[in-house]
Amino acid sequence: MKILGIETSCDETSAAVVEQEIVHSNVVQGQLELHAAYGGVVPELASRAHITHISAVVAAALRQANCEARALDGIAVTVGPGLIGGLLVGLTVAKGMAIAMAKPLIGIHHMEGHLMSPFLRAAHEPMPGCDFPFVALLVSGGHTLLLYAQRFGHYQLLGQTRDDAAGEAFDKGARMLGLPYPGGPSIAALAMGGDPTAIRFPRAWLDRNRFDFSFSGLKTSLRTHLLNHPLETTPPQAQRDLAASYQEALVDILASKALAACREVGSQRLLVAGGVGANQRLRTLLQQRAERIQLLVPPLPLCTDNGAMIALAGLHRLTLGQQSDWSLNVRPRWPIAELNDHSS
Ligand code: KG4
Ligand code: ZN
């Protein structure tokens, strides 16, 4: 089956053609320059940029895959969670194509797309060896979820953030450190050559709900530290130490809780996906501590938002006989637990 996947939930306009788990094309048009001056994504600017780029991005995805639209078996599109304006752009295009060509339309949960990203591969690459069941740590700019995925479409929520998402904690920390958006790669770059043990930032273990996350205390500690040690008077090495220590606190919590969840449910596999999944220090910590647990991670370019992951989730939904009707609408807030209602 060949599926076109469309993703416009945040600040990436993306379309991809995926056949089984093979990525034939994956076009991603980012908007970094557009939002740079604001230190974060401005929803209205994002929507307008999606409108500008979506047709060319879809056309490029089909062209690069050497695939005519008529040859598609279905069109998958992110319908939520995400920014309403962006979601509407993607859905409008997907619906228009599906109706015009009488193709199945499949509305996809953005985080289910991330969850499927480690299963993707290029045509010349070997099978990545991913399989259900697994514990999934899904860490993006909008979500921090710890799930037990028994099979596709059946997800047990083990924990989630009570305040900021992990990516948001990177983004807000970066802003305080005077670093550009997105904050994750900025902090990771400054942290290189820094000492992660220089400053002992607090870790919120939340003993009662030990698979939940909270990053607000960590953020406040950084703010307090910067009040006492202003950035302007902090030498370059101390700035690197600061970034490394902040990053360490974040990834230590993520890695510790994800591995504890694997032990709790007896899972031999841990899948890590979403933008923060690209963090090298997180990957290293997990590798060091995972022992007999197999780590399932996507290649770096597939960690952040892309159409290929949406296409693959759509392909699996379609295989289960699930498709959306023409009344499909966006769902800017869509709890992942609700996906279980549709599982076969
Ligand atoms: O999944 P994603 O592309 O978009 C959302 O669904 O939100 O994730 C974007 C988030 C941003 O917060 C960004 O700072 C973070 O992922 N990110 C990283 C890295 N690359 C992207 N965080 C830590 N380290 C990275 N290397
Ligand atoms: Zn995402």
Side-chain angles (χ1 to χ4, degrees), residues 12 110 114 140-142 167-168 170-171 182-185 274-276 278-279 303-305:
E12 255 104 25
H110 180 75
H114 277 301
S140 69
E168 215 177 343
F170 269 108
D171 296 337
V276 180
N279 187 274
C303 282
T304 43
D305 293 348

Side-chain angles (χ1 to χ4, degrees), residues 127-157:
M127 297 280 276
C130 284
D131 209 353
F132 289 87
F134 49 77
V135 166
L137 174 68
L138 302 181
V139 271
S140 69
H143 290 83
T144 304
L145 297 172
L146 206 44
L147 308 172
Y148 181 55
Q150 264 162 358
R151 58 181 192 273
F152 178 81
H154 196 91
Y155 313 119
Q156 182 192 347
L157 186 62

Side-chain angles (χ1 to χ4, degrees), residues 52-298:
T52 306
H53 296 301
I54 187 73
S55 300
V57 165
V58 169
L62 291 169
R63 196 173 54 246
Q64 287 177 22
N66 209 1
C67 172
E68 288 197 26
R70 271 172 298 155
L72 292 168
D73 295 293
I75 298 169
V77 59
T78 305
V79 293
L83 301 173
I84 189 165
L87 292 169
L88 277 167
V89 175
L91 177 61
T92 306
V93 170
K95 246 189 204 182
M97 290 181 74
I99 292 174
M101 297 185 299
K103 301 281 180 192
L105 173 70
I106 314 119
I108 293 297
H109 190 294
H110 180 75
M111 299 313 286
E112 186 172 67
H114 277 301
L115 181 112
M116 294 309 290
S117 60
F119 289 78
L120 291 163
R121 67 178 172 108
H124 59 273
E125 286 172 356
M127 297 280 276
C130 284
D131 209 353
F132 289 87
F134 49 77
V135 166
L137 174 68
L138 302 181
V139 271
S140 69
H143 290 83
T144 304
L145 297 172
L146 206 44
L147 308 172
Y148 181 55
Q150 264 162 358
R151 58 181 192 273
F152 178 81
H154 196 91
Y155 313 119
Q156 182 192 347
L157 186 62
L158 302 174
Q160 60 188 322
T161 186
R162 297 185 182 180
D163 37 57
D164 289 339
E168 215 177 343
F170 269 108
D171 296 337
K172 291 179 178 170
R175 210 164 161 170
M176 286 188 246
L177 293 168
L179 301 171
Y181 176 85
S186 304
I187 289 187
L190 184 62
M192 292 220 294
D195 174 5
T197 64
I199 301 150
R200 181 76 194 167
F201 281 114
R203 275 86 161 141
W205 296 117
L206 306 175
D207 289 337
R208 287 224 186 128
N209 288 73
R210 61 195 190 95
F211 299 133
D212 274 354
F213 302 84
S214 168
F215 298 109
S216 56
L218 173 62
K219 222 173 45 185
T220 308
S221 305
L222 178 61
R223 189 175 296 284
T224 311
H225 179 92
L226 288 169
L227 284 175
N228 295 327
H229 309 85
L231 214 51
E232 307 79 64
T233 56
T234 306
Q237 183 55 44
Q239 290 193 18
R240 286 194 280 274
D241 292 347
L242 184 56
S245 301
Y246 186 77
Q247 171 176 260
E248 192 71 6
L250 259 163
V251 301
D252 182 19
I253 297 166
L254 295 175
S256 303
K257 290 193 176 240
L259 292 170
C262 288
R263 287 189 285 272
E264 171 94 4
V265 301
S267 175
Q268 304 294 314
R269 302 187 189 99
L270 172 63
L271 181 144
V272 183
V276 180
N279 187 274
Q280 200 48 57
R281 181 65 191 149
L282 174 62
R283 290 186 172 203
T284 304
L285 265 192
L286 285 169
Q287 271 151 10
Q288 284 169 354
R289 298 180 185 172
E291 292 174 355
R292 277 181 295 278
I293 295 168
Q294 184 194 1
L295 290 177
L296 311 175
V297 290

